[in-house]
PDB file of all heavy atoms in Angstrom:
ATOM      1  N   ALA A 141      81.247  40.413 130.484  1.00  0.00           N
ATOM      2  CA  ALA A 141      82.072  39.512 129.693  1.00  0.00           C
ATOM      3  C   ALA A 141      82.858  40.330 128.616  1.00  0.00           C
ATOM      4  O   ALA A 141      82.483  41.461 128.303  1.00  0.00           O
ATOM      5  CB  ALA A 141      81.256  38.440 129.041  1.00  0.00           C
ATOM      6  N   THR A 142      83.924  39.676 128.116  1.00  0.00           N
ATOM      7  CA  THR A 142      84.669  40.234 126.934  1.00  0.00           C
ATOM      8  C   THR A 142      84.824  39.118 125.973  1.00  0.00           C
ATOM      9  O   THR A 142      84.806  37.914 126.295  1.00  0.00           O
ATOM     10  CB  THR A 142      86.031  40.773 127.351  1.00  0.00           C
ATOM     11  OG1 THR A 142      86.859  39.695 127.729  1.00  0.00           O
ATOM     12  CG2 THR A 142      85.946  41.739 128.485  1.00  0.00           C
ATOM     13  N   SER A 143      85.024  39.506 124.711  1.00  0.00           N
ATOM     14  CA  SER A 143      85.271  38.512 123.670  1.00  0.00           C
ATOM     15  C   SER A 143      86.054  39.122 122.475  1.00  0.00           C
ATOM     16  O   SER A 143      85.765  40.250 122.105  1.00  0.00           O
ATOM     17  CB  SER A 143      83.948  37.920 123.114  1.00  0.00           C
ATOM     18  OG  SER A 143      84.245  36.958 122.084  1.00  0.00           O
ATOM     19  N   THR A 144      87.005  38.349 122.002  1.00  0.00           N
ATOM     20  CA  THR A 144      87.731  38.763 120.756  1.00  0.00           C
ATOM     21  C   THR A 144      87.109  38.175 119.520  1.00  0.00           C
ATOM     22  O   THR A 144      87.563  38.451 118.418  1.00  0.00           O
ATOM     23  CB  THR A 144      89.214  38.290 120.839  1.00  0.00           C
ATOM     24  OG1 THR A 144      89.245  36.914 121.059  1.00  0.00           O
ATOM     25  CG2 THR A 144      89.932  39.052 122.018  1.00  0.00           C
ATOM     26  N   ASN A 145      86.077  37.356 119.730  1.00  0.00           N
ATOM     27  CA  ASN A 145      85.395  36.673 118.618  1.00  0.00           C
ATOM     28  C   ASN A 145      83.966  37.248 118.480  1.00  0.00           C
ATOM     29  O   ASN A 145      83.172  37.099 119.350  1.00  0.00           O
ATOM     30  CB  ASN A 145      85.318  35.164 118.871  1.00  0.00           C
ATOM     31  CG  ASN A 145      84.737  34.419 117.677  1.00  0.00           C
ATOM     32  OD1 ASN A 145      83.726  34.728 117.168  1.00  0.00           O
ATOM     33  ND2 ASN A 145      85.470  33.396 117.226  1.00  0.00           N
ATOM     34  N   PRO A 146      83.677  37.935 117.341  1.00  0.00           N
ATOM     35  CA  PRO A 146      82.381  38.554 117.193  1.00  0.00           C
ATOM     36  C   PRO A 146      81.215  37.544 117.197  1.00  0.00           C
ATOM     37  O   PRO A 146      80.108  37.911 117.698  1.00  0.00           O
ATOM     38  CB  PRO A 146      82.448  39.255 115.835  1.00  0.00           C
ATOM     39  CG  PRO A 146      83.652  38.648 115.154  1.00  0.00           C
ATOM     40  CD  PRO A 146      84.607  38.201 116.194  1.00  0.00           C
ATOM     41  N   ILE A 147      81.420  36.356 116.723  1.00  0.00           N
ATOM     42  CA  ILE A 147      80.334  35.312 116.723  1.00  0.00           C
ATOM     43  C   ILE A 147      80.059  34.931 118.149  1.00  0.00           C
ATOM     44  O   ILE A 147      78.888  34.837 118.579  1.00  0.00           O
ATOM     45  CB  ILE A 147      80.715  34.138 115.846  1.00  0.00           C
ATOM     46  CG1 ILE A 147      80.927  34.579 114.362  1.00  0.00           C
ATOM     47  CG2 ILE A 147      79.679  33.025 115.952  1.00  0.00           C
ATOM     48  CD1 ILE A 147      81.491  33.497 113.468  1.00  0.00           C
ATOM     49  N   THR A 148      81.105  34.690 118.924  1.00  0.00           N
ATOM     50  CA  THR A 148      80.851  34.429 120.368  1.00  0.00           C
ATOM     51  C   THR A 148      80.231  35.570 121.038  1.00  0.00           C
ATOM     52  O   THR A 148      79.330  35.442 121.905  1.00  0.00           O
ATOM     53  CB  THR A 148      82.243  34.113 121.037  1.00  0.00           C
ATOM     54  OG1 THR A 148      82.835  33.003 120.399  1.00  0.00           O
ATOM     55  CG2 THR A 148      82.049  33.806 122.523  1.00  0.00           C
ATOM     56  N   GLY A 149      80.620  36.759 120.623  1.00  0.00           N
ATOM     57  CA  GLY A 149      80.024  37.989 121.193  1.00  0.00           C
ATOM     58  C   GLY A 149      78.539  38.114 120.975  1.00  0.00           C
ATOM     59  O   GLY A 149      77.790  38.480 121.880  1.00  0.00           O
ATOM     60  N   ILE A 150      78.072  37.702 119.816  1.00  0.00           N
ATOM     61  CA  ILE A 150      76.629  37.685 119.541  1.00  0.00           C
ATOM     62  C   ILE A 150      75.919  36.751 120.524  1.00  0.00           C
ATOM     63  O   ILE A 150      74.833  37.079 121.049  1.00  0.00           O
ATOM     64  CB  ILE A 150      76.372  37.247 118.091  1.00  0.00           C
ATOM     65  CG1 ILE A 150      76.835  38.330 117.130  1.00  0.00           C
ATOM     66  CG2 ILE A 150      74.899  36.983 117.851  1.00  0.00           C
ATOM     67  CD1 ILE A 150      76.820  37.944 115.675  1.00  0.00           C
ATOM     68  N   ASP A 151      76.463  35.549 120.706  1.00  0.00           N
ATOM     69  CA  ASP A 151      75.884  34.597 121.615  1.00  0.00           C
ATOM     70  C   ASP A 151      75.816  35.160 123.043  1.00  0.00           C
ATOM     71  O   ASP A 151      74.842  35.032 123.764  1.00  0.00           O
ATOM     72  CB  ASP A 151      76.697  33.325 121.628  1.00  0.00           C
ATOM     73  CG  ASP A 151      76.105  32.274 122.601  1.00  0.00           C
ATOM     74  OD1 ASP A 151      74.933  31.905 122.464  1.00  0.00           O
ATOM     75  OD2 ASP A 151      76.876  31.858 123.491  1.00  0.00           O
ATOM     76  N   LEU A 152      76.929  35.848 123.481  1.00  0.00           N
ATOM     77  CA  LEU A 152      76.943  36.465 124.827  1.00  0.00           C
ATOM     78  C   LEU A 152      75.880  37.551 124.953  1.00  0.00           C
ATOM     79  O   LEU A 152      75.214  37.679 125.991  1.00  0.00           O
ATOM     80  CB  LEU A 152      78.344  37.043 125.097  1.00  0.00           C
ATOM     81  CG  LEU A 152      79.427  36.041 125.291  1.00  0.00           C
ATOM     82  CD1 LEU A 152      80.814  36.728 125.320  1.00  0.00           C
ATOM     83  CD2 LEU A 152      79.280  35.283 126.596  1.00  0.00           C
ATOM     84  N   ILE A 153      75.739  38.385 123.941  1.00  0.00           N
ATOM     85  CA  ILE A 153      74.703  39.443 123.991  1.00  0.00           C
ATOM     86  C   ILE A 153      73.314  38.834 124.071  1.00  0.00           C
ATOM     87  O   ILE A 153      72.505  39.277 124.902  1.00  0.00           O
ATOM     88  CB  ILE A 153      74.792  40.346 122.722  1.00  0.00           C
ATOM     89  CG1 ILE A 153      76.102  41.173 122.764  1.00  0.00           C
ATOM     90  CG2 ILE A 153      73.612  41.261 122.648  1.00  0.00           C
ATOM     91  CD1 ILE A 153      76.423  41.898 121.519  1.00  0.00           C
ATOM     92  N   ASN A 154      73.070  37.848 123.276  1.00  0.00           N
ATOM     93  CA  ASN A 154      71.738  37.202 123.274  1.00  0.00           C
ATOM     94  C   ASN A 154      71.424  36.483 124.617  1.00  0.00           C
ATOM     95  O   ASN A 154      70.280  36.493 125.036  1.00  0.00           O
ATOM     96  CB  ASN A 154      71.598  36.260 122.143  1.00  0.00           C
ATOM     97  CG  ASN A 154      71.448  36.918 120.786  1.00  0.00           C
ATOM     98  OD1 ASN A 154      70.929  38.024 120.718  1.00  0.00           O
ATOM     99  ND2 ASN A 154      71.920  36.259 119.727  1.00  0.00           N
ATOM    100  N   ARG A 155      72.446  35.950 125.245  1.00  0.00           N
ATOM    101  CA  ARG A 155      72.263  35.266 126.500  1.00  0.00           C
ATOM    102  C   ARG A 155      72.124  36.206 127.715  1.00  0.00           C
ATOM    103  O   ARG A 155      71.217  36.018 128.547  1.00  0.00           O
ATOM    104  CB  ARG A 155      73.420  34.274 126.783  1.00  0.00           C
ATOM    105  CG  ARG A 155      73.214  32.931 126.100  1.00  0.00           C
ATOM    106  CD  ARG A 155      74.178  31.899 126.641  1.00  0.00           C
ATOM    107  NE  ARG A 155      75.546  32.081 126.224  1.00  0.00           N
ATOM    108  CZ  ARG A 155      76.603  32.120 126.980  1.00  0.00           C
ATOM    109  NH1 ARG A 155      76.496  31.953 128.269  1.00  0.00           N
ATOM    110  NH2 ARG A 155      77.802  32.242 126.453  1.00  0.00           N
ATOM    111  N   HIS A 156      72.972  37.210 127.736  1.00  0.00           N
ATOM    112  CA  HIS A 156      73.041  38.065 128.902  1.00  0.00           C
ATOM    113  C   HIS A 156      72.243  39.364 128.793  1.00  0.00           C
ATOM    114  O   HIS A 156      71.918  40.014 129.779  1.00  0.00           O
ATOM    115  CB  HIS A 156      74.498  38.362 129.245  1.00  0.00           C
ATOM    116  CG  HIS A 156      75.266  37.188 129.635  1.00  0.00           C
ATOM    117  ND1 HIS A 156      75.113  36.542 130.840  1.00  0.00           N
ATOM    118  CD2 HIS A 156      76.235  36.495 128.960  1.00  0.00           C
ATOM    119  CE1 HIS A 156      75.947  35.507 130.932  1.00  0.00           C
ATOM    120  NE2 HIS A 156      76.678  35.467 129.770  1.00  0.00           N
ATOM    121  N   LYS A 157      71.926  39.816 127.554  1.00  0.00           N
ATOM    122  CA  LYS A 157      71.236  41.062 127.229  1.00  0.00           C
ATOM    123  C   LYS A 157      71.754  42.199 128.105  1.00  0.00           C
ATOM    124  O   LYS A 157      71.061  42.780 128.923  1.00  0.00           O
ATOM    125  CB  LYS A 157      69.718  40.832 127.494  1.00  0.00           C
ATOM    126  CG  LYS A 157      69.113  39.868 126.535  1.00  0.00           C
ATOM    127  CD  LYS A 157      67.592  39.694 126.714  1.00  0.00           C
ATOM    128  CE  LYS A 157      66.964  38.867 125.604  1.00  0.00           C
ATOM    129  NZ  LYS A 157      67.635  37.555 125.416  1.00  0.00           N
ATOM    130  N   PRO A 158      73.037  42.578 127.933  1.00  0.00           N
ATOM    131  CA  PRO A 158      73.618  43.653 128.699  1.00  0.00           C
ATOM    132  C   PRO A 158      72.978  45.005 128.396  1.00  0.00           C
ATOM    133  O   PRO A 158      72.453  45.192 127.227  1.00  0.00           O
ATOM    134  CB  PRO A 158      75.098  43.612 128.262  1.00  0.00           C
ATOM    135  CG  PRO A 158      75.051  43.058 126.872  1.00  0.00           C
ATOM    136  CD  PRO A 158      73.934  42.036 126.914  1.00  0.00           C
ATOM    137  N   ASP A 159      73.049  45.895 129.285  1.00  0.00           N
ATOM    138  CA  ASP A 159      72.540  47.297 129.028  1.00  0.00           C
ATOM    139  C   ASP A 159      73.400  48.010 128.000  1.00  0.00           C
ATOM    140  O   ASP A 159      72.920  48.859 127.222  1.00  0.00           O
ATOM    141  CB  ASP A 159      72.536  48.119 130.320  1.00  0.00           C
ATOM    142  CG  ASP A 159      71.401  47.693 131.260  1.00  0.00           C
ATOM    143  OD1 ASP A 159      70.381  47.329 130.772  1.00  0.00           O
ATOM    144  OD2 ASP A 159      71.651  47.745 132.458  1.00  0.00           O
ATOM    145  N   LEU A 160      74.711  47.680 127.984  1.00  0.00           N
ATOM    146  CA  LEU A 160      75.644  48.415 127.145  1.00  0.00           C
ATOM    147  C   LEU A 160      76.758  47.490 126.633  1.00  0.00           C
ATOM    148  O   LEU A 160      77.267  46.679 127.351  1.00  0.00           O
ATOM    149  CB  LEU A 160      76.246  49.569 127.952  1.00  0.00           C
ATOM    150  CG  LEU A 160      77.216  50.528 127.283  1.00  0.00           C
ATOM    151  CD1 LEU A 160      76.565  51.278 126.170  1.00  0.00           C
ATOM    152  CD2 LEU A 160      77.826  51.484 128.279  1.00  0.00           C
ATOM    153  N   VAL A 161      77.084  47.665 125.322  1.00  0.00           N
ATOM    154  CA  VAL A 161      78.233  46.932 124.749  1.00  0.00           C
ATOM    155  C   VAL A 161      79.162  47.940 124.079  1.00  0.00           C
ATOM    156  O   VAL A 161      78.771  48.850 123.358  1.00  0.00           O
ATOM    157  CB  VAL A 161      77.693  45.922 123.664  1.00  0.00           C
ATOM    158  CG1 VAL A 161      78.871  45.251 122.959  1.00  0.00           C
ATOM    159  CG2 VAL A 161      76.787  44.881 124.238  1.00  0.00           C
ATOM    160  N   PHE A 162      80.463  47.792 124.421  1.00  0.00           N
ATOM    161  CA  PHE A 162      81.525  48.496 123.731  1.00  0.00           C
ATOM    162  C   PHE A 162      81.983  47.574 122.595  1.00  0.00           C
ATOM    163  O   PHE A 162      82.427  46.469 122.785  1.00  0.00           O
ATOM    164  CB  PHE A 162      82.680  48.799 124.636  1.00  0.00           C
ATOM    165  CG  PHE A 162      82.337  49.745 125.696  1.00  0.00           C
ATOM    166  CD1 PHE A 162      81.938  49.232 126.961  1.00  0.00           C
ATOM    167  CD2 PHE A 162      82.417  51.142 125.523  1.00  0.00           C
ATOM    168  CE1 PHE A 162      81.607  50.163 127.969  1.00  0.00           C
ATOM    169  CE2 PHE A 162      82.088  52.000 126.508  1.00  0.00           C
ATOM    170  CZ  PHE A 162      81.663  51.528 127.767  1.00  0.00           C
ATOM    171  N   LEU A 163      81.768  48.053 121.320  1.00  0.00           N
ATOM    172  CA  LEU A 163      81.853  47.144 120.175  1.00  0.00           C
ATOM    173  C   LEU A 163      82.783  47.726 119.105  1.00  0.00           C
ATOM    174  O   LEU A 163      82.600  48.875 118.621  1.00  0.00           O
ATOM    175  CB  LEU A 163      80.449  47.009 119.594  1.00  0.00           C
ATOM    176  CG  LEU A 163      80.248  46.052 118.415  1.00  0.00           C
ATOM    177  CD1 LEU A 163      80.694  44.682 118.670  1.00  0.00           C
ATOM    178  CD2 LEU A 163      78.750  46.099 117.972  1.00  0.00           C
ATOM    179  N   ASP A 164      83.794  46.965 118.759  1.00  0.00           N
ATOM    180  CA  ASP A 164      84.695  47.363 117.690  1.00  0.00           C
ATOM    181  C   ASP A 164      83.932  47.226 116.309  1.00  0.00           C
ATOM    182  O   ASP A 164      83.002  46.436 116.199  1.00  0.00           O
ATOM    183  CB  ASP A 164      85.903  46.353 117.636  1.00  0.00           C
ATOM    184  CG  ASP A 164      86.953  46.805 116.645  1.00  0.00           C
ATOM    185  OD1 ASP A 164      86.973  48.009 116.234  1.00  0.00           O
ATOM    186  OD2 ASP A 164      87.785  45.974 116.247  1.00  0.00           O
ATOM    187  N   ILE A 165      84.246  48.076 115.374  1.00  0.00           N
ATOM    188  CA  ILE A 165      83.575  48.012 114.078  1.00  0.00           C
ATOM    189  C   ILE A 165      84.331  47.123 113.121  1.00  0.00           C
ATOM    190  O   ILE A 165      83.755  46.198 112.504  1.00  0.00           O
ATOM    191  CB  ILE A 165      83.427  49.419 113.483  1.00  0.00           C
ATOM    192  CG1 ILE A 165      82.383  50.209 114.276  1.00  0.00           C
ATOM    193  CG2 ILE A 165      82.987  49.318 112.020  1.00  0.00           C
ATOM    194  CD1 ILE A 165      81.980  51.544 113.694  1.00  0.00           C
ATOM    195  N   GLN A 166      85.585  47.322 112.937  1.00  0.00           N
ATOM    196  CA  GLN A 166      86.353  46.629 111.928  1.00  0.00           C
ATOM    197  C   GLN A 166      86.972  45.326 112.539  1.00  0.00           C
ATOM    198  O   GLN A 166      88.000  45.323 113.175  1.00  0.00           O
ATOM    199  CB  GLN A 166      87.456  47.533 111.391  1.00  0.00           C
ATOM    200  CG  GLN A 166      88.143  46.998 110.121  1.00  0.00           C
ATOM    201  CD  GLN A 166      87.342  47.296 108.868  1.00  0.00           C
ATOM    202  OE1 GLN A 166      86.086  47.523 108.969  1.00  0.00           O
ATOM    203  NE2 GLN A 166      87.917  47.294 107.746  1.00  0.00           N
ATOM    204  N   MET A 167      86.275  44.170 112.259  1.00  0.00           N
ATOM    205  CA  MET A 167      86.782  42.879 112.705  1.00  0.00           C
ATOM    206  C   MET A 167      86.775  41.913 111.538  1.00  0.00           C
ATOM    207  O   MET A 167      86.080  42.134 110.581  1.00  0.00           O
ATOM    208  CB  MET A 167      85.914  42.375 113.882  1.00  0.00           C
ATOM    209  CG  MET A 167      86.012  43.224 115.166  1.00  0.00           C
ATOM    210  SD  MET A 167      84.998  42.554 116.540  1.00  0.00           S
ATOM    211  CE  MET A 167      83.379  43.098 116.072  1.00  0.00           C
ATOM    212  N   GLU A 168      87.532  40.857 111.677  1.00  0.00           N
ATOM    213  CA  GLU A 168      87.716  39.962 110.480  1.00  0.00           C
ATOM    214  C   GLU A 168      86.500  39.176 110.150  1.00  0.00           C
ATOM    215  O   GLU A 168      86.046  39.188 108.915  1.00  0.00           O
ATOM    216  CB  GLU A 168      88.889  38.950 110.788  1.00  0.00           C
ATOM    217  CG  GLU A 168      90.235  39.643 110.766  1.00  0.00           C
ATOM    218  CD  GLU A 168      91.375  38.612 110.875  1.00  0.00           C
ATOM    219  OE1 GLU A 168      91.058  37.381 110.693  1.00  0.00           O
ATOM    220  OE2 GLU A 168      92.507  38.993 110.995  1.00  0.00           O
ATOM    221  N   GLU A 169      85.864  38.484 111.069  1.00  0.00           N
ATOM    222  CA  GLU A 169      84.681  37.667 110.738  1.00  0.00           C
ATOM    223  C   GLU A 169      83.480  38.491 110.298  1.00  0.00           C
ATOM    224  O   GLU A 169      82.784  38.085 109.323  1.00  0.00           O
ATOM    225  CB  GLU A 169      84.302  36.721 111.900  1.00  0.00           C
ATOM    226  CG  GLU A 169      85.245  35.625 112.164  1.00  0.00           C
ATOM    227  CD  GLU A 169      86.367  36.032 113.055  1.00  0.00           C
ATOM    228  OE1 GLU A 169      86.456  37.247 113.400  1.00  0.00           O
ATOM    229  OE2 GLU A 169      87.195  35.178 113.414  1.00  0.00           O
ATOM    230  N   MET A 170      83.177  39.524 111.007  1.00  0.00           N
ATOM    231  CA  MET A 170      82.083  40.418 110.660  1.00  0.00           C
ATOM    232  C   MET A 170      82.304  41.725 111.321  1.00  0.00           C
ATOM    233  O   MET A 170      82.978  41.860 112.317  1.00  0.00           O
ATOM    234  CB  MET A 170      80.739  39.788 111.052  1.00  0.00           C
ATOM    235  CG  MET A 170      80.561  39.595 112.562  1.00  0.00           C
ATOM    236  SD  MET A 170      78.910  38.966 112.956  1.00  0.00           S
ATOM    237  CE  MET A 170      78.889  37.415 112.082  1.00  0.00           C
ATOM    238  N   SER A 171      81.639  42.793 110.830  1.00  0.00           N
ATOM    239  CA  SER A 171      81.814  44.119 111.422  1.00  0.00           C
ATOM    240  C   SER A 171      80.891  44.279 112.594  1.00  0.00           C
ATOM    241  O   SER A 171      79.939  43.562 112.830  1.00  0.00           O
ATOM    242  CB  SER A 171      81.415  45.203 110.355  1.00  0.00           C
ATOM    243  OG  SER A 171      80.090  45.282 110.122  1.00  0.00           O
ATOM    244  N   GLY A 172      81.207  45.268 113.417  1.00  0.00           N
ATOM    245  CA  GLY A 172      80.376  45.612 114.535  1.00  0.00           C
ATOM    246  C   GLY A 172      78.980  46.038 114.133  1.00  0.00           C
ATOM    247  O   GLY A 172      77.983  45.756 114.794  1.00  0.00           O
ATOM    248  N   ILE A 173      78.881  46.681 112.961  1.00  0.00           N
ATOM    249  CA  ILE A 173      77.577  47.050 112.452  1.00  0.00           C
ATOM    250  C   ILE A 173      76.716  45.816 112.083  1.00  0.00           C
ATOM    251  O   ILE A 173      75.538  45.746 112.342  1.00  0.00           O
ATOM    252  CB  ILE A 173      77.700  47.999 111.220  1.00  0.00           C
ATOM    253  CG1 ILE A 173      78.212  49.352 111.703  1.00  0.00           C
ATOM    254  CG2 ILE A 173      76.360  48.150 110.483  1.00  0.00           C
ATOM    255  CD1 ILE A 173      78.510  50.346 110.604  1.00  0.00           C
ATOM    256  N   ASP A 174      77.398  44.766 111.539  1.00  0.00           N
ATOM    257  CA  ASP A 174      76.719  43.527 111.240  1.00  0.00           C
ATOM    258  C   ASP A 174      76.181  42.871 112.544  1.00  0.00           C
ATOM    259  O   ASP A 174      75.069  42.343 112.600  1.00  0.00           O
ATOM    260  CB  ASP A 174      77.672  42.504 110.587  1.00  0.00           C
ATOM    261  CG  ASP A 174      78.034  42.939 109.142  1.00  0.00           C
ATOM    262  OD1 ASP A 174      77.193  43.617 108.520  1.00  0.00           O
ATOM    263  OD2 ASP A 174      79.103  42.573 108.698  1.00  0.00           O
ATOM    264  N   ILE A 175      77.011  42.976 113.620  1.00  0.00           N
ATOM    265  CA  ILE A 175      76.565  42.449 114.887  1.00  0.00           C
ATOM    266  C   ILE A 175      75.336  43.197 115.392  1.00  0.00           C
ATOM    267  O   ILE A 175      74.346  42.561 115.832  1.00  0.00           O
ATOM    268  CB  ILE A 175      77.699  42.541 115.926  1.00  0.00           C
ATOM    269  CG1 ILE A 175      78.835  41.565 115.555  1.00  0.00           C
ATOM    270  CG2 ILE A 175      77.176  42.209 117.328  1.00  0.00           C
ATOM    271  CD1 ILE A 175      80.022  41.657 116.460  1.00  0.00           C
ATOM    272  N   LEU A 176      75.362  44.462 115.298  1.00  0.00           N
ATOM    273  CA  LEU A 176      74.265  45.327 115.775  1.00  0.00           C
ATOM    274  C   LEU A 176      72.972  44.980 115.005  1.00  0.00           C
ATOM    275  O   LEU A 176      71.882  44.910 115.555  1.00  0.00           O
ATOM    276  CB  LEU A 176      74.553  46.787 115.651  1.00  0.00           C
ATOM    277  CG  LEU A 176      73.536  47.767 116.230  1.00  0.00           C
ATOM    278  CD1 LEU A 176      73.270  47.401 117.703  1.00  0.00           C
ATOM    279  CD2 LEU A 176      74.068  49.185 116.136  1.00  0.00           C
ATOM    280  N   LYS A 177      73.097  44.733 113.674  1.00  0.00           N
ATOM    281  CA  LYS A 177      71.921  44.304 112.864  1.00  0.00           C
ATOM    282  C   LYS A 177      71.335  42.999 113.379  1.00  0.00           C
ATOM    283  O   LYS A 177      70.106  42.826 113.411  1.00  0.00           O
ATOM    284  CB  LYS A 177      72.302  44.161 111.399  1.00  0.00           C
ATOM    285  CG  LYS A 177      72.639  45.479 110.689  1.00  0.00           C
ATOM    286  CD  LYS A 177      73.033  45.141 109.222  1.00  0.00           C
ATOM    287  CE  LYS A 177      73.490  46.372 108.471  1.00  0.00           C
ATOM    288  NZ  LYS A 177      73.946  46.068 107.112  1.00  0.00           N
ATOM    289  N   ILE A 178      72.188  42.110 113.810  1.00  0.00           N
ATOM    290  CA  ILE A 178      71.770  40.773 114.237  1.00  0.00           C
ATOM    291  C   ILE A 178      71.101  40.838 115.621  1.00  0.00           C
ATOM    292  O   ILE A 178      70.041  40.251 115.836  1.00  0.00           O
ATOM    293  CB  ILE A 178      72.933  39.760 114.231  1.00  0.00           C
ATOM    294  CG1 ILE A 178      73.414  39.496 112.809  1.00  0.00           C
ATOM    295  CG2 ILE A 178      72.542  38.465 114.902  1.00  0.00           C
ATOM    296  CD1 ILE A 178      74.755  38.758 112.718  1.00  0.00           C
ATOM    297  N   VAL A 179      71.684  41.512 116.566  1.00  0.00           N
ATOM    298  CA  VAL A 179      71.158  41.503 117.936  1.00  0.00           C
ATOM    299  C   VAL A 179      70.019  42.476 118.131  1.00  0.00           C
ATOM    300  O   VAL A 179      69.290  42.407 119.109  1.00  0.00           O
ATOM    301  CB  VAL A 179      72.281  41.826 118.961  1.00  0.00           C
ATOM    302  CG1 VAL A 179      73.389  40.826 118.887  1.00  0.00           C
ATOM    303  CG2 VAL A 179      72.821  43.248 118.791  1.00  0.00           C
ATOM    304  N   GLY A 180      69.811  43.385 117.196  1.00  0.00           N
ATOM    305  CA  GLY A 180      68.666  44.297 117.244  1.00  0.00           C
ATOM    306  C   GLY A 180      68.678  45.158 118.385  1.00  0.00           C
ATOM    307  O   GLY A 180      69.758  45.729 118.745  1.00  0.00           O
ATOM    308  N   ASN A 181      67.514  45.336 119.086  1.00  0.00           N
ATOM    309  CA  ASN A 181      67.430  46.321 120.142  1.00  0.00           C
ATOM    310  C   ASN A 181      67.646  45.711 121.547  1.00  0.00           C
ATOM    311  O   ASN A 181      67.161  46.250 122.550  1.00  0.00           O
ATOM    312  CB  ASN A 181      66.061  46.987 120.087  1.00  0.00           C
ATOM    313  CG  ASN A 181      64.880  46.017 120.263  1.00  0.00           C
ATOM    314  OD1 ASN A 181      65.141  44.838 120.508  1.00  0.00           O
ATOM    315  ND2 ASN A 181      63.665  46.502 120.002  1.00  0.00           N
ATOM    316  N   HIS A 182      68.400  44.630 121.671  1.00  0.00           N
ATOM    317  CA  HIS A 182      68.675  44.006 122.944  1.00  0.00           C
ATOM    318  C   HIS A 182      69.533  44.908 123.824  1.00  0.00           C
ATOM    319  O   HIS A 182      69.491  44.809 125.026  1.00  0.00           O
ATOM    320  CB  HIS A 182      69.405  42.697 122.764  1.00  0.00           C
ATOM    321  CG  HIS A 182      68.556  41.569 122.302  1.00  0.00           C
ATOM    322  ND1 HIS A 182      68.984  40.309 122.014  1.00  0.00           N
ATOM    323  CD2 HIS A 182      67.212  41.560 122.032  1.00  0.00           C
ATOM    324  CE1 HIS A 182      67.960  39.569 121.588  1.00  0.00           C
ATOM    325  NE2 HIS A 182      66.913  40.335 121.580  1.00  0.00           N
ATOM    326  N   THR A 183      70.310  45.799 123.243  1.00  0.00           N
ATOM    327  CA  THR A 183      71.310  46.489 124.018  1.00  0.00           C
ATOM    328  C   THR A 183      71.647  47.816 123.391  1.00  0.00           C
ATOM    329  O   THR A 183      71.374  48.076 122.236  1.00  0.00           O
ATOM    330  CB  THR A 183      72.586  45.645 124.100  1.00  0.00           C
ATOM    331  OG1 THR A 183      73.555  46.346 124.942  1.00  0.00           O
ATOM    332  CG2 THR A 183      73.236  45.446 122.718  1.00  0.00           C
ATOM    333  N   ARG A 184      72.239  48.684 124.172  1.00  0.00           N
ATOM    334  CA  ARG A 184      72.831  49.962 123.617  1.00  0.00           C
ATOM    335  C   ARG A 184      74.290  49.703 123.301  1.00  0.00           C
ATOM    336  O   ARG A 184      74.959  48.843 123.895  1.00  0.00           O
ATOM    337  CB  ARG A 184      72.792  51.069 124.694  1.00  0.00           C
ATOM    338  CG  ARG A 184      71.377  51.408 125.163  1.00  0.00           C
ATOM    339  CD  ARG A 184      70.627  52.069 124.067  1.00  0.00           C
ATOM    340  NE  ARG A 184      69.242  52.298 124.388  1.00  0.00           N
ATOM    341  CZ  ARG A 184      68.288  52.596 123.536  1.00  0.00           C
ATOM    342  NH1 ARG A 184      68.539  52.688 122.217  1.00  0.00           N
ATOM    343  NH2 ARG A 184      67.065  52.778 123.912  1.00  0.00           N
TER     344      ARG A 184
END
């Protein structure tokens, strides 16, 4: 999947638990680092 919305992206990661995510850091709603803190060790 792809998403331009980081909040939607978090939901996608939690649902699908992909092996790998290509993640932008500087986004408006939250940073990629914030996303990584939330999803924890679900993915690389």
Side-chain angles (χ1 to χ4, degrees):
T142 68
S143 178
T144 56
N145 186 308
I147 297 172
T148 302
I150 291 171
D151 179 59
L152 289 169
I153 291 171
N154 287 331
R155 275 196 285 133
H156 297 287
K157 295 182 172 55
D159 288 324
L160 182 63
V161 175
F162 294 93
L163 182 59
D164 187 20
I165 288 187
Q166 193 79 339
M167 294 182 282
E168 288 189 10
E169 288 86 355
M170 62 177 62
S171 73
I173 290 175
D174 290 332
I175 292 175
L176 187 53
K177 289 178 184 178
I178 293 169
V179 300
N181 59 8
H182 286 178
T183 185
R184 299 292 173 194

